[in-house]
Amino acid sequence: MTEPRQLSPLQGQSAAPRYVWYASFGSNLHLSRLRYYLAGGCPPGTGRTYPGCRDPRDPLESTAVALPGDVYFAGESPVWTGGVAFYDPAAEGIAAARAHLVSVEQFSDIAAQEMHRDPGADLDLDAVLAAGRLETGPGPYETLVCAGSLDGRPVLTFTAPWCRNDVTCTAPSALYLHQLASGLRESHAWAPERIAEYLSARSGVAGHWASDALLSVCRGEVDAAVAPGDVAEVLPEPVRQPAS
C-alpha cells in the first residue's frame, strides 16, 4: 500500500505558476485513461473521442494524495451510464486521489475537455488560487477547486458547483467502478478489499451496491457483478441533475 501524500495550505503565489498538480478522484486516477485527455483518442468501451491537449506529453510526475473532503456519485453519464464521481471539498472525510504534475496549459486543456469545451486557451487561475474556488459555468465539472499545495505548487481539480447534500446520489455502473478500482490499485497500491471498503462508504455506492458484487468489480470481475438495480430497485430523481 502506498502512503498518500498530505496537502499543505497554499501560500501566497508571488508569480503565476507554470506547473500545477491536477488532482483526479475519478477515472483519471488511471494514467492510461488520462492519456486520452493528453494525446487524444477514443477510450475502449466509450463513444466519446477526446481531442487531446496542445502538449500531449505525460505528466512530469504522478503521486497518490489524500484530499480533504469527500467523493460521491451523482447524475447519469452518457459515457459510463450511471452516476459519476464528484468531489465536495466542504464535506467531512478524506478523498483518495492521484495528483498529476502538469503545465498550466495542459491543465487548462484537460479541464476544457471535461467541461465539453474546445481545448486551446489557458485558464486564468488567479481567482481560484486566491479564493480556493471558482465557478466558470453551471456544468458538473465547471467549478475549479484549489485543495491545497504539494511541494509548493497548487493542487487543482474540477467538480460540480453543488455540494453532496444538494443532489440525490445515483449508483455508478460496474464499468465505471472497475475503472476507479483499477486507478486506485495503480495509484495507491490498494488490495481489492481495501478498494471495496473505500468505495462502499461513498454516497451513491452505499445502499445501492451489495458488498459481494462490489468486491467482484474491484477484483476485475465486471461481468460477474450484479447491476446496481438488483440491489436498489428504484433510484430517486436527483434534486439537481448533473450530466457528465
Side-chain angles (χ1 to χ4, degrees), residues 190-218:
W190 284 354
E193 292 76 12
R194 176 67 183 91
I195 297 171
E197 178 186 14
Y198 170 76
L199 291 175
S200 68
R202 312 274 73 80
S203 297
V205 176
H208 295 156
W209 272 89
S211 57
D212 56 345
L214 180 60
L215 183 56
S216 293
V217 170
C218 294

Side-chain angles (χ1 to χ4, degrees), residues 26-28 30 33 37 43-48 50 76-85 114 141 171-180 244:
S27 60
N28 285 341
H30 209 298
R33 171 71 179 180
Y37 285 82
T46 73
R48 182 181 176 189
Y50 296 87
E76 181 74 23
S77 170
V79 175
W80 300 102
T81 72
V84 287
E114 197 68 271
Y141 290 107
S173 67
L175 182 62
Y176 188 60
L177 286 176
H178 170 68
Q179 183 72 32
L180 266 61
S244 175

Side-chain angles (χ1 to χ4, degrees), residues 73-110:
F73 297 87
E76 181 74 23
S77 170
V79 175
W80 300 102
T81 72
V84 287
F86 294 101
Y87 170 59
D88 185 350
E92 293 185 3
I94 295 294
R98 190 178 196 180
H100 304 285
L101 185 59
V102 296
S103 67
V104 169
E105 177 187 290
Q106 287 177 308
F107 177 77
S108 299
D109 287 349
I110 293 168

Side-chain angles (χ1 to χ4, degrees), residues 72 74 86-88 133 135 138-140 143 159-164 166-167 240-243:
Y72 63 97
F86 294 101
Y87 170 59
D88 185 350
R133 174 186 173 93
E135 292 187 20
T143 296
T159 187
W162 48 80
C163 297
R164 181 185 60 194
D166 293 336
V167 293
R240 296 175 64 183
Q241 175 72 11

Side-chain angles (χ1 to χ4, degrees), residues 5-176:
R5 299 186 63 186
Q6 305 296 316
L7 306 189
S8 301
L10 180 67
Q11 304 299 323
Q13 299 282 309
S14 57
R18 292 181 56 204
Y19 292 92
V20 298
W21 294 97
Y22 158 46
S24 172
F25 49 85
S27 60
N28 285 341
L29 282 160
H30 209 298
L31 185 57
S32 65
R33 171 71 179 180
L34 177 63
R35 287 191 177 114
Y36 286 99
Y37 285 82
L38 293 168
C42 181
T46 73
R48 182 181 176 189
T49 298
Y50 296 87
C53 295
R54 288 166 284 174
D55 179 356
R57 292 175 293 181
D58 277 2
L60 294 175
E61 183 182 348
S62 296
T63 186
V65 294
L67 301 181
D70 195 19
V71 168
Y72 63 97
F73 297 87
E76 181 74 23
S77 170
V79 175
W80 300 102
T81 72
V84 287
F86 294 101
Y87 170 59
D88 185 350
E92 293 185 3
I94 295 294
R98 190 178 196 180
H100 304 285
L101 185 59
V102 296
S103 67
V104 169
E105 177 187 290
Q106 287 177 308
F107 177 77
S108 299
D109 287 349
I110 293 168
Q113 292 172 86
E114 197 68 271
M115 296 173 186
H116 294 270
R117 302 176 184 178
D118 293 329
D122 287 354
L123 290 167
D124 184 351
L125 301 179
D126 289 347
V128 67
L129 295 181
R133 174 186 173 93
L134 175 66
E135 292 187 20
T136 68
Y141 290 107
E142 293 186 332
T143 296
L144 301 177
V145 172
C146 180
S149 70
L150 194 65
D151 298 333
R153 292 189 173 99
V155 178
L156 299 172
T157 192
F158 27 79
T159 187
W162 48 80
C163 297
R164 181 185 60 194
N165 293 336
D166 293 336
V167 293
T168 299
C169 293
T170 52
S173 67
L175 182 62
Y176 188 60

